[in-house]
Amino acid sequence: MGSDSNYQKKLVNGEFGYVLEDVPHFTDYIPDLPTYPNPLRSNPAYSVVKQYFVNMDDSVPEKVVVHKDTPRGVHFRRAGPRQKVYFASDEVHACIVTCGGLCPGLNTVIREIVHSLDYMYGVNKVLGIDVKMNNVESGNGYEIESGGYRGFYSKNTITLTPKLVNDIHKRGGTILGTSRGGHDTTKIVDSIQDRGINQVYIIGGDGTQHGAGVIYEEIRKRGLKVVVAGIPKTIDNDIPVIDRSFGFDTAVEEAQRAINAAHVEAESAENGIGVVKLMGRYSGFIAMYATLASRDVDCCLIPESPFYLEGKGGLFEYIEKTLKENGHMVIVIAEGAGQELLTVTAKNEQDASGNKLLQDVGLWISQKIKEHFAKPNRLPITLKYIDPTYMIRAIPSNAADNVYCTLLAQSAVHGAMAGYTGFTSGLVNGRQTYIPFYRITEKQNKVVITDRMWARLLSSTNQPSFLGPKADNEAIERANGNSGTDFKLTDLLRCLSCGGQ
């Protein structure tokens, strides 16, 4: 999804090619705002911390690997508490909303926003935009009035207190509920204004963050002293700029259970094949990392890497070779892989977030494999298909993701109290930063199949790259963001053969 055309970029240029892609601040459009000493100065938990407040000039580079003659490049503002804040504690009326699909860690983020506002800044007015569904009768039957962004202009809200949210991180899902769509900028901002809300925390993926950017623009147009802070959420890890998205680590860990079950089933049968479908609509990160972590996977198929079934170098040939050598195999496939191969005529339908509705590639490939090996003179096989998608999405986050969610939430709160707005809190090169919305929504993060990591996977599984006479150069270019260049299949093969160097 592209950036909003009205978003005002705030660039600061320095010496030696230094560029700070800064985030908006209240002082950009509201003059003469009062400031207050940061309450953390008198907070006993932080009184012993040396240099706790972040220097206003601190920034984090987008790229850490540079050459001595190259410019210093793009930087982002470092996250953290500032000496001065732009809200008095009793002035803050915050709200939190969760949008899009489920992801491990949602409840942890909600909990830590509430706790950070209360314990760090003494804020006790926090509203949860609830997504309990109101079925409203209309001319077309019943429609859902609430859900995701719709929750802003529905009647359902929850007062969030530290006591209420104290144990929610132990549960999967989100206590506020979530759904897709429902974005009506005018209604949302009207609701924010009418309720006296002045800090809005929006947790969601690239579509949600784009919507947050539009809300920020409308708030700025009205001259309101209202923070819009985003926390990026996508289990697929397909949001650009940031190191990783919360819930991804948990998803990879949980995917191991499904892969292990598929391996046990395959190993226990004659010519057993275990097929596991994992999340990854456009990006194959979960499938790739789960494969690398497992060591039980013989073949990993992702949306970025085209493959074909029949003929020399195809998937069927590799399956037969592996079965003859090992007697069993495990295939991991991302949900968006091979969509162009499905024979079912796909209707160009979309969900409420604008995502194309995909065919079930796991069932399709399982059926194709069965049909191929049912032919005369083929190996008899036993195939087991496992789809753990909703089990993975619904579990609580693991320890690593819990810590990460805490940092994201605290960083968002620090930024909001310091008067920053129109930003997403994200980890860049191991440091918490504030990133402008347009950078989060300008493109999707994808596996680069000419990179070292994909070469590591190919060497780990010993699978072919499936790049041969039937490979589609345009598909390869699209997968690697090289559309419109002179990038050729031979270049790709050369890159893979040298490990992406």
Side-chain angles (χ1 to χ4, degrees):
M1 181 178 292
S3 61
D4 187 79
S5 59
N6 294 323
Y7 198 101
Q8 300 178 38
K9 295 183 179 181
K10 188 177 177 183
L11 305 178
V12 179
N13 295 299
E15 294 182 349
F16 311 111
Y18 172 95
V19 178
L20 172 64
E21 292 203 25
D22 207 354
V23 297
H25 193 272
F26 281 154
T27 54
D28 296 338
Y29 65 97
I30 306 177
D32 304 322
L33 280 175
T35 60
Y36 311 89
N38 195 318
L40 290 174
R41 292 170 182 269
S42 56
N43 188 316
Y46 298 95
S47 60
V48 296
V49 180
K50 292 182 179 180
Q51 297 180 335
Y52 182 72
F53 294 106
V54 173
N55 189 297
M56 292 299 292
D57 292 330
D58 281 1
S59 62
V60 178
E62 182 176 14
K63 294 182 179 179
V64 293
V65 179
V66 296
H67 300 290
K68 62 181 181 180
D69 297 327
T70 57
R72 291 177 64 187
V74 171
H75 288 61
F76 300 106
R77 187 168 289 280
R78 184 183 175 192
R82 266 55 179 179
Q83 297 271 4
K84 297 285 186 181
V85 296
Y86 282 76
F87 291 95
S89 298
D90 58 0
E91 172 193 359
V92 177
H93 188 189
C95 76
I96 305 170
V97 64
T98 52
C99 304
L102 290 183
C103 177
L106 279 168
N107 276 335
T108 307
V109 174
I110 294 168
R111 178 189 190 274
E112 295 308 321
I113 291 174
V114 175
H115 276 254
S116 298
L117 284 167
D118 188 285
Y119 296 161
M120 292 182 180
Y121 291 100
V123 173
N124 54 27
K125 288 186 288 187
V126 185
L127 201 62
I129 304 301
D130 196 358
V131 184
K132 292 185 179 127
M133 304 305 178
N134 291 332
N135 294 315
V136 179
E137 192 170 2
S138 71
N140 299 318
Y142 281 92
E143 295 180 355
I144 294 173
E145 188 186 47
S146 187
Y149 275 124
R150 290 188 191 91
F152 275 105
Y153 45 89
S154 74
K155 297 178 181 179
N156 296 316
T157 57
I158 301 175
T159 298
L160 298 176
T161 64
K163 184 177 181 180
L164 177 69
V165 302
N166 195 52
D167 293 323
I168 63 173
H169 63 292
K170 299 173 184 177
R171 291 184 259 157
T174 161
I175 62 165
L176 300 179
T178 185
S179 72
R180 304 181 187 277
H183 191 284
D184 186 316
T185 307
T186 302
K187 284 186 176 181
I188 291 169
V189 178
D190 284 347
S191 175
I192 291 169
Q193 198 168 359
D194 292 343
R195 289 173 172 173
I197 292 168
N198 50 23
Q199 290 188 9
V200 182
Y201 296 93
I202 300 175
I203 310 167
D206 58 349
T208 300
Q209 299 300 311
H210 176 80
V214 176
I215 292 169
Y216 157 72
E217 286 295 337
E218 178 62 23
I219 284 172
R220 177 169 179 155
K221 189 188 301 180
R222 299 187 190 187
L224 303 177
K225 185 189 173 185
V226 178
V227 165
V228 180
I231 296 177
K233 176 223 55 124
T234 167
I235 201 169
D236 294 344
N237 199 40
D238 59 0
I239 289 180
V241 183
I242 62 175
D243 293 355
R244 71 179 189 281
S245 53
F246 75 81
F248 174 72
D249 190 86
T250 304
V252 171
E253 184 178 297
E254 188 67 14
Q256 304 302 296
R257 299 178 186 272
I259 291 172
N260 182 60
H263 182 249
V264 170
E265 289 285 352
E267 198 175 33
S268 302
E270 180 184 5
N271 296 322
I273 300 175
V275 177
V276 179
K277 185 183 79 172
L278 297 176
M279 288 84 72
R281 179 181 293 273
Y282 304 112
S283 303
F285 286 103
I286 291 178
M288 179 173 72
Y289 276 82
T291 294
L292 283 167
S294 169
R295 306 296 177 180
D296 286 331
V297 179
D298 301 285
C299 183
C300 176
L301 303 172
I302 61 173
E304 297 90 337
S305 183
F307 67 94
Y308 57 100
L309 303 179
E310 307 277 357
K312 186 171 178 59
L315 179 62
F316 291 155
E317 182 185 74
Y318 175 60
I319 291 174
E320 192 159 347
K321 173 178 174 290
T322 304
L323 290 178
K324 286 179 179 178
E325 291 177 355
N326 301 331
H328 65 277
M329 78 175 298
V330 174
I331 300 170
V332 167
I333 186 165
E335 62 181 318
Q339 289 292 318
E340 69 280 1
L341 299 178
L342 272 65
T343 54
V344 179
T345 303
K347 298 178 182 178
N348 194 23
E349 296 179 350
Q350 297 180 334
D351 62 20
S353 295
N355 299 313
K356 182 180 178 182
L357 294 177
L358 303 179
Q359 303 291 320
D360 192 329
V361 72
L363 287 174
W364 172 81
I365 203 166
S366 297
Q367 187 59 36
K368 284 293 183 181
I369 293 170
K370 289 177 182 178
E371 290 174 359
H372 176 79
F373 285 96
K375 295 175 183 177
N377 302 319
R378 300 287 184 189
L379 293 173
I381 65 164
T382 301
L383 186 144
K384 303 294 184 184
Y385 172 55
I386 299 174
D387 179 359
T389 299
Y390 294 106
M391 293 175 63
I392 292 174
R393 287 178 12 144
I395 64 171
S397 52
N398 65 10
D401 272 327
N402 268 335
V403 173
Y404 185 30
C405 289
T406 301
L407 296 177
L408 287 170
Q410 290 186 359
S411 296
V413 169
H414 289 317
M417 293 299 295
Y420 293 107
T421 181
F423 70 86
T424 292
S425 170
L427 192 71
V428 176
N429 294 317
R431 294 285 185 177
Q432 292 293 326
T433 64
Y434 300 137
I435 305 165
F437 282 134
Y438 66 85
R439 286 302 309 273
I440 293 294
T441 62
E442 65 186 357
K443 63 179 181 179
Q444 285 182 312
N445 189 30
K446 294 188 176 185
V447 174
V448 179
I449 62 171
T450 58
D451 199 13
R452 288 189 183 89
M453 190 59 77
W454 186 245
R456 292 184 184 112
L457 181 139
L458 294 180
S459 62
S460 172
T461 61
N462 203 30
Q463 72 185 65
S465 63
F466 299 114
L467 300 173
K470 296 184 180 181
D472 181 354
N473 277 333
E474 289 187 6
I476 298 167
E477 290 171 3
R478 285 195 304 272
N480 289 281
N482 294 310
S483 184
T485 71
D486 292 325
F487 186 84
K488 302 297 182 184
L489 180 60
T490 52
D491 298 325
L492 179 56
L493 291 169
R494 183 171 66 254
C495 286
L496 288 172
S497 66
C498 69
Q501 299 183 43

